[in-house]
């Protein structure tokens, strides 16, 4: 068990770097380029929502997601990545005289959820590689 904790501690030391890299990759895939999941205007709106939420003391959208590495099943994934906090546009958010419709807000929140889950998978890939390089701990 001590080896598991040491492996977990060493992996957690790398977590910030893995998050940074995974966020960049997921953002580029979902929010930029010809295959983006949103239009440039929608991406600009998300950036505007992020700024307004952050100015009002909330965490905003970008960077509000949080991840953790936990002990998993030793035979399959000795270390598992979980997203502990997903960003979300609150129902009371308004832009000027109009607010997002419920379907618009739900669509954006679904996309933000997908963004975080994509990040989680990329981090899990890094953790799996790390565990393979470190050698599986003995039970």
């Amino acid at each position: 068990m001590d080896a598991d904790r040491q492996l977990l501690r060493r992996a957690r030391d790398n977590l910030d770097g893995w998050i940074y890299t995974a966020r960049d990759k997921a953002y580029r895939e979902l929010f930029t380029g010809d295959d983006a999941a949103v239009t440039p205007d929608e991406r600009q709106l998300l950036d505007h929502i992020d700024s307004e939420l952050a100015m009002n003391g909330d965490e905003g959208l970008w960077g509000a997601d949080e991840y953790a590495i936990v002990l998993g099943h030793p035979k399959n994934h000795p270390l598992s990545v979980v997203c502990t906090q997903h960003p979300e546009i609150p129902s009371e958010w308004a832009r000027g005289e109009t607010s997002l419709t419920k379907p618009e807000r739900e669509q954006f929140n679904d996309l933000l959820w997908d963004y975080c889950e994509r990040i989680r998978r990329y981090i899990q890939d890094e953790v799996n590689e790390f565990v393979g390089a470190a050698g599986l701990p003995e039970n």
Side-chain angles (χ1 to χ4, degrees):
M1 188 65 159
D2 190 43
D4 290 341
R5 284 194 297 262
Q6 288 178 2
L7 183 64
L8 178 61
R9 193 173 303 124
R10 288 185 10 235
R12 285 178 175 166
D13 287 343
N14 292 299
L15 183 58
D16 287 341
W18 291 333
I19 291 171
Y20 180 82
T21 302
R23 278 181 181 155
D24 185 54
K25 183 176 180 180
Y27 185 89
R28 279 186 281 117
E29 290 175 355
L30 288 173
F31 298 104
T32 64
D34 294 337
D35 294 334
V38 295
T39 67
D41 288 341
E42 289 171 328
R43 189 177 73 234
Q44 186 175 15
L45 175 59
L46 286 170
D47 288 342
H48 178 72
I49 293 169
D50 172 67
S51 295
E52 281 198 9
L53 290 173
M55 283 190 302
N56 291 330
D58 292 325
E59 293 179 315
L61 300 175
W62 311 124
D65 50 321
E66 294 180 8
Y67 305 88
I69 302 174
V70 298
L71 289 174
H73 191 279
K75 292 181 183 176
N76 299 343
H77 294 283
L79 301 179
S80 295
V81 177
V82 293
C83 182
T84 59
Q85 182 171 318
H86 291 79
E88 186 173 78
I89 301 169
S91 59
E92 65 276 0
W93 184 84
R95 60 175 182 202
E97 295 180 12
T98 62
S99 62
L100 293 175
T101 65
K102 184 176 180 179
E104 286 173 321
R105 192 180 76 256
E106 287 175 357
Q107 177 186 358
F108 283 142
N109 283 337
D110 287 347
L111 183 59
L112 291 167
W113 184 277
D114 292 345
Y115 167 71
C116 292
E117 287 306 303
R118 191 174 288 222
I119 293 168
R120 185 200 59 75
R121 285 192 306 270
Y122 294 147
I123 298 168
Q124 184 68 59
D125 290 345
E126 293 290 341
V127 167
N128 292 347
E129 187 175 316
F130 173 81
V131 169
L136 290 174
E138 294 182 17
N139 291 335

